[in-house]
Amino acid sequence: TFPELSGFSLSNYKESFARFSQKMQPWLEPAMRSPDFHSLFFTLIFLAAQPSIWVLIILCRRPLWTVCLSCEKDDPPSRLFGMFKPTWEKLKAQQKEVNLYAALAEIMMGLWLTVSLLLPIRQILTCFLFWHYLKMRYTIQTANEQKQNSPPIHQKAWAVVGQKAAPLFKALPILNKPLGMAKNWFAKTH
């Protein structure tokens, strides 16, 4: 249930905001673990950004998964789902890989937004917000990951990126300092 928010005063806004945030914390923590919250945050970031097909592909994976899970339970299944069912069964059998590739796609989007800061199509605010989204995905376990006692999928995806980028960091040791700074930023939880 949503916490009681009475007693908020504009004249003493700092103290009121501190009390407000303390009351909201128990409600926000479980909400932030929800995949719906992550999806909403991702959507809101790109709502004002320049349109991109890659964003739509990343964004549509989760609704497709949800709809297919729902259609799978229907008896009798719809005709349209019946046509997609063989593809769905292949995807569902590889759920861990699909989730890992989705996390990798999000990371690649973050890297692209960073590189695009040097181009005329730069989106500074979008890049900033998206990196905060990636940090949230890296540090916060979803409710499902918490039940399975597994680390966030983004930690596995970043490990894959690290393995692929290791030769670059060996060839250009000057990049190790920015990499260390980035790792420290991701490790901070506040």
Side-chain angles (χ1 to χ4, degrees):
T1 63
F2 199 73
E4 175 63 37
L5 302 177
S6 62
F8 192 82
S9 167
L10 289 178
S11 61
N12 193 4
Y13 69 92
K14 287 183 180 179
E15 186 179 311
S16 294
F17 187 73
R19 281 195 317 265
F20 172 73
S21 62
Q22 287 174 347
K23 289 179 181 180
M24 289 295 293
Q25 190 171 7
W27 182 80
L28 275 176
E29 282 185 21
M32 284 182 67
R33 296 187 191 287
S34 162
D36 294 329
F37 179 82
H38 295 193
S39 244
L40 176 65
F41 190 28
F42 184 91
T43 304
L44 291 175
I45 289 170
F46 286 100
L47 201 59
Q50 294 175 353
S52 168
I53 190 70
W54 301 113
V55 172
L56 289 175
I57 290 170
I58 294 169
L59 192 59
C60 289
R61 181 207 51 90
R62 187 169 182 282
L64 174 70
W65 205 267
T66 304
V67 167
C68 287
L69 283 173
S70 178
C71 287
E72 192 175 49
K73 295 175 186 173
D74 287 348
D75 193 32
S78 71
R79 185 172 157 266
L80 184 60
F81 179 69
M83 293 168 33
F84 186 71
K85 193 172 183 175
T87 306
W88 164 244
E89 288 171 348
K90 290 177 190 173
L91 289 173
K92 190 175 179 192
Q94 299 177 351
Q95 181 175 0
K96 288 184 179 182
E97 290 84 5
V98 169
N99 289 339
L100 180 64
Y101 286 132
L104 285 168
E106 289 176 1
I107 292 168
M108 292 301 117
M109 177 60 71
L111 294 173
W112 166 247
L113 285 170
T114 303
V115 169
S116 72
L117 291 176
L118 304 172
L119 304 172
I121 60 167
R122 70 182 63 91
Q123 300 180 59
I124 297 168
L125 183 61
T126 302
C127 183
F128 176 76
L129 290 172
F130 194 72
W131 277 99
H132 278 280
Y133 167 80
L134 288 176
K135 181 179 180 181
M136 178 187 70
R137 296 279 287 167
Y138 181 82
T139 56
I140 298 176
Q141 286 178 308
T142 62
N144 200 18
E145 289 166 342
Q146 204 170 27
K147 285 179 194 172
Q148 297 172 354
N149 200 22
S150 65
I153 190 73
H154 269 256
Q155 289 182 7
K156 295 175 189 171
W158 277 106
V160 170
V161 170
Q163 289 172 348
K164 299 288 184 187
L168 176 67
F169 289 104
K170 283 183 183 176
L172 297 169
I174 196 166
L175 295 177
N176 286 323
K177 179 144 176 108
L179 176 65
M181 291 168 55
K183 284 181 178 180
N184 288 339
W185 182 75
F186 264 86
K188 291 180 187 175
T189 55
H190 292 73

